[in-house]
Amino acid sequence: MTASLEQVRRCHIAVDLGAARTRVYVKGEGLVVDQPSVAAVNTRTGALIAVGELAERMTGRTPHYIRVVRPVSGGTVVDVEMAQRMLRHLIGDRMRRALRRKAPRLRAAACTPYDADPLAQRATIETLVGLGARRVELVDTLIAAAVGCGLPVERAEASMILVCGAAATQVAVLSLGSIVTAERIPVGGEAVDRAIVQHLRHEHALMLPSQSVRPLQLALHGSGLTAGGPSATEIHGRDVATGLARSVVIDTAAVREAIQTPLTFVLDGIYRVLRECPPELVADLADRGIMMVGGSALLPGLDQMLREATGMPVHIADRPDVCAVLGLGEMLEGRVEPLVLDPLSA
């Protein structure tokens, strides 16, 4: 964690700028924003037309002069100005007025991916400074998510967390409030979706709409990643050759095989973290297991696949998609007690 717990406690607002969704927690108010990280812009006038869910529904359905953009990619702000405009509209006028009253001393906290480079951290800071923050504290997403899902990160025992994001997956072993060993894997829920889309295109000559059909949920409903799931499912899309609407019945076993490549990268990352972890902490993990958070943690059957591959217990947090921002909220509200190590007396 870049910022200390005491520094985060002084903050008034916490922001989790994710590749898929943006979440904002305001001290004393709770979670006030949970919207897709999408904005629609009129390229003729530069005006912002829509943000959040409305902008996401516009994807692929706009005239040529309206562009749908995602200012956050892979957990990193790639368009600072657009991210600022999107945040202003998501927060709303009433909340902005309330924050403006604290402007002379407004502090903000933000999540950053593990091992984020200085440029990525700077982009996050500039985004929140543009909203009026006088100081920005950066907190590692792994620490924030662990606090948000109730892991005892401050104790001298191991806790393993798997943050399954849209663009990347982060895995870490935590102890004494810090990261013992961690890895960021550039594979997330979007990679799994792309594998399914490519499989349907190559094997069935079927192209799926980008937003109206969620390929993952349709192709892997039930317990889709396990052999006990449904044997076949029907998918609606557009024929690659004719451009006409068409439905096909696909074998879910073939879909499971198609997504094994991105999931293998995640498993390899978990193995590497366990190999680098001290044996004493690995012994703790054999009993405690892995805690999964993030929106992609809800991928059907993923927890069972990890359980079979690692031989460790695997748990999914109660609200896996908002654990990181709720963890920042717990720190803001002062509900997290720091670990105090008293020096031994002579």
Side-chain angles (χ1 to χ4, degrees):
M1 183 169 64
T2 307
S4 68
L5 188 58
E6 188 59 36
Q7 289 172 321
V8 178
R9 280 181 176 176
R10 299 195 189 107
C11 296
H12 305 93
I13 184 173
V15 179
D16 179 15
L17 283 167
R21 299 183 75 88
T22 293
R23 300 176 176 92
V24 179
Y25 186 104
V26 176
K27 197 171 189 175
E29 297 281 344
L31 187 63
V32 297
V33 173
D34 185 2
Q35 294 279 339
S37 304
V38 188
V41 184
N42 187 326
T43 57
R44 293 173 176 172
T45 64
L48 199 61
I49 296 174
V51 295
E53 293 179 354
L54 179 58
E56 189 175 49
R57 289 198 297 269
M58 292 182 179
T59 303
R61 306 179 183 202
T62 60
H64 66 90
Y65 62 89
I66 295 178
R67 186 166 57 100
V68 177
V69 296
R70 293 181 176 270
V72 184
S73 176
T76 301
V77 178
V78 293
D79 188 338
V80 173
E81 181 184 356
M82 189 56 64
Q84 291 174 351
R85 297 174 68 185
M86 179 186 72
L87 268 177
R88 289 193 195 102
H89 284 78
L90 288 177
I91 291 174
D93 293 335
R94 184 186 68 85
M95 191 57 65
R96 284 210 311 273
R97 285 194 297 269
L99 292 175
R100 200 175 294 125
R101 289 194 290 269
K102 303 174 182 176
R105 54 188 178 85
L106 180 63
R107 289 172 173 248
C111 288
T112 55
Y114 172 74
D115 204 20
D117 60 76
L119 287 178
Q121 294 180 0
R122 185 65 188 173
T124 302
I125 292 172
E126 289 181 1
T127 300
L128 297 184
V129 168
L131 292 178
R134 293 295 183 265
R135 185 178 177 88
V136 179
E137 309 292 353
L138 299 181
V139 181
D140 199 294
T141 302
L142 291 163
I143 298 290
V147 172
C149 65
L151 289 179
V153 294
E154 73 283 355
R155 299 180 186 173
E157 55 189 52
S159 299
M160 190 170 192
I161 187 166
L162 186 71
V163 180
C164 307
T169 301
Q170 303 173 69
V171 57
V173 175
L174 312 173
S175 181
L176 291 174
S178 300
I179 297 174
V180 177
T181 178
E183 184 155 337
R184 186 181 179 197
I185 308 153
V187 173
E190 293 176 353
V192 176
D193 285 355
R194 284 195 299 270
I196 296 173
V197 170
Q198 290 173 3
H199 168 76
L200 295 177
R201 185 183 180 97
H202 295 157
E203 299 297 327
H204 301 278
L206 192 73
M207 184 181 297
L208 296 178
S210 57
Q211 293 298 323
S212 60
V213 175
R214 176 70 173 167
L216 197 56
Q217 277 72 9
L218 289 178
L220 297 178
H221 63 81
S223 53
L225 286 183
T226 62
S231 59
T233 187
E234 186 177 11
I235 293 291
H236 307 278
R238 187 179 73 182
D239 190 279
V240 173
T242 65
L244 300 177
R246 184 164 64 92
S247 300
V248 296
V249 177
I250 65 169
D251 181 13
T252 54
V255 175
R256 286 198 299 271
E257 184 177 350
I259 65 176
Q260 284 305 309
T261 299
L263 294 180
T264 300
F265 282 110
V266 176
L267 283 174
D268 290 344
I270 293 175
Y271 293 150
R272 284 194 295 270
V273 168
L274 289 174
R275 283 196 297 268
E276 296 172 3
C277 187
E280 292 81 3
L281 295 182
V282 174
D284 292 342
L285 296 176
D287 298 327
R288 302 180 64 90
I290 305 172
M291 177 65 75
M292 294 175 58
V293 302
S296 299
L298 299 174
L299 178 64
L302 178 58
D303 56 334
Q304 183 173 341
M305 188 199 73
L306 293 178
R307 197 175 293 117
E308 294 173 354
T310 63
M312 297 165 56
V314 178
H315 315 282
I316 301 177
D318 293 336
R319 299 178 64 187
D321 52 339
V322 294
C323 280
V325 72
L326 290 182
L328 282 179
E330 293 286 309
M331 298 178 191
L332 258 65
E333 303 287 1
R335 301 192 188 109
V336 180
E337 293 297 329
L339 177 68
V340 179
L341 296 176
D342 294 326
L344 296 177
S345 58

